[in-house]
Amino acid sequence: MNLTPLFFRRSFRLLLAGSMLTVPVLLSGCSSKLPKTEEISGPELEEAEDKLVHFLDQTCVTSVDSDIRLSWKAYGQEKTYPAVLQATAPSFLRLSVIDPLGRPLLLLGSDGETFTLADNNESVGYTGSTELQFIRRFVPSFIPANDLFRWLGGRINGKDMLAVASTRKDAEQPLNWYEIGYPDKTTHLLALNKENQLSRHLVVDQEKEDVLFDAEYSNYSETTADCFWPGPIDISGKELEAEYAIEFEEILGFEAIEEQRFQVKLPPHFTEKKLIDKEE
């Protein structure tokens, strides 16, 4: 089956607004701009570099179970839905979206490589690979599946990062900015706030001075590990299909979640449709 606009309108447009396939951008253009920064040196530079090292050395939780609120904005429409999100590192995800009356709309389960989406209104189940071109319009290829949980939790992949190209301070806010390269040749700009929490994570095209992806985090709360967990996450960027946001309203726990929880079994009366990319 080929991907169709009808499927987009009825299902993924509601669901992938902040999950996985998460983690929150306006079609054809985004207001995100490269930050205005200033050079730093001496003790100030050393302190900023030490903060990044400390941030990377923090241990963090590997699972989360939370009531969330999903918001998306695209094609002249804006919607918000309550949902329940369960996720486990590196890329396991279960997302249940309900309507304002508490009725179940969509249930998504994924192991990071494949997914199953149950549309209760249509009694249809969609299955496919998370590498579909359609999925990549919501989660670009420069966000590997193994980094999904990190993006949800306001963390970064420190293992694969190359040398820090520059360390500067924000010209308008109390933030330190770090320019970091990765083996896929993308440039990431990371902003740490005074509490040494990730405030923004940008993926940029330096030559065109375009922000391809911009995740903004705020209102962190304590976890059972050294790290903190973000409240709202707002995401924008030229590489995305819509503007969307996730707000962690009530975190139910950070305990380990069994992998079988992320498997969605379709009821017998559902019609199963396997999604594939259109042939060029």
Side-chain angles (χ1 to χ4, degrees):
M1 175 187 177
N2 287 326
L3 298 169
T4 65
L6 178 62
F7 173 69
F8 172 77
R9 290 196 300 270
R10 288 184 175 177
S11 298
F12 269 96
R13 190 176 62 179
L14 300 177
L15 181 59
L16 298 183
S19 77
M20 136 181 85
L21 286 174
T22 185
V23 185
V25 104
L26 285 179
L27 183 67
S28 69
C30 158
S31 60
S32 294
K33 297 180 180 180
L34 292 175
K36 296 179 180 179
T37 61
E38 300 175 348
E39 291 186 11
I40 54 177
S41 60
E44 187 178 15
L45 175 60
E46 293 179 4
E47 181 181 2
E49 292 173 339
D50 288 343
K51 285 186 174 182
L52 178 60
V53 172
H54 177 68
F55 176 78
L56 294 173
D57 285 344
Q58 290 176 348
T59 60
C60 200
V61 295
T62 56
S63 294
V64 66
D65 184 355
S66 180
D67 292 335
I68 67 172
R69 187 164 295 275
L70 294 179
S71 302
W72 60 262
K73 183 178 181 181
Y75 301 101
Q77 299 186 51
E78 185 172 358
K79 295 289 184 180
T80 299
Y81 288 89
V84 177
L85 173 68
Q86 295 174 307
T88 289
S91 53
F92 291 93
L93 183 81
R94 180 184 176 93
L95 181 68
S96 177
V97 180
I98 57 179
D99 69 14
L101 298 179
R103 296 172 298 191
L105 288 175
L106 303 167
L107 177 61
L108 168 74
S110 175
D111 60 4
E113 297 182 357
T114 62
F115 69 88
T116 298
L117 173 67
D119 184 335
N120 290 322
N121 285 344
E122 302 293 329
S123 297
V124 175
Y126 300 93
T127 61
S129 166
T130 58
E131 293 298 324
L132 286 170
Q133 293 178 13
F134 180 80
I135 299 299
R136 287 307 181 185
R137 300 209 310 255
F138 291 88
V139 184
S141 59
F142 49 71
I143 301 180
N146 286 345
D147 283 351
L148 177 61
F149 189 83
R150 294 188 183 102
W151 279 87
L152 279 176
R155 311 300 300 175
I156 66 170
N157 183 348
K159 180 180 179 181
D160 294 335
M161 60 182 280
L162 304 177
V164 179
S166 67
T167 300
R168 301 169 66 90
K169 69 178 182 180
D170 196 281
E172 301 171 344
Q173 304 179 66
L175 300 171
N176 290 323
W177 283 95
Y178 307 88
E179 179 184 345
I180 298 172
Y182 280 88
D184 62 1
K185 298 183 180 181
T186 57
T187 298
H188 294 234
L189 301 181
L190 312 175
L192 297 182
N193 61 22
K194 292 188 298 184
E195 290 74 30
N196 217 32
Q197 301 160 347
L198 187 63
S199 179
R200 290 179 69 189
H201 187 163
L202 282 66
V203 181
V204 302
D205 183 332
Q206 292 282 45
E207 292 184 359
K208 297 181 180 180
E209 296 188 346
D210 284 338
V211 176
L212 305 178
F213 191 92
D214 181 356
E216 186 170 356
Y217 304 86
S218 59
N219 296 339
Y220 280 81
S221 58
E222 293 183 349
T223 69
T224 53
D226 293 339
C227 67
F228 292 80
W229 194 269
I233 308 173
D234 296 300
I235 300 183
S236 59
K238 293 188 66 175
E239 289 292 305
L240 301 178
E241 189 75 11
E243 182 175 272
Y244 59 106
I246 310 172
E247 182 174 359
F248 290 89
E249 292 191 312
E250 182 179 359
I251 294 179
L252 306 176
F254 296 104
E255 293 78 15
I257 302 173
E258 295 183 358
E259 290 187 10
Q260 64 187 33
R261 180 64 178 165
F262 304 101
Q263 301 173 4
V264 174
K265 295 184 178 180
L266 299 175
H269 68 282
F270 270 48
T271 300
E272 182 176 348
K273 298 183 179 181
K274 183 175 179 59
L275 303 179
I276 60 173
D277 284 326
K278 293 181 179 180
E279 295 183 1
E280 298 296 335

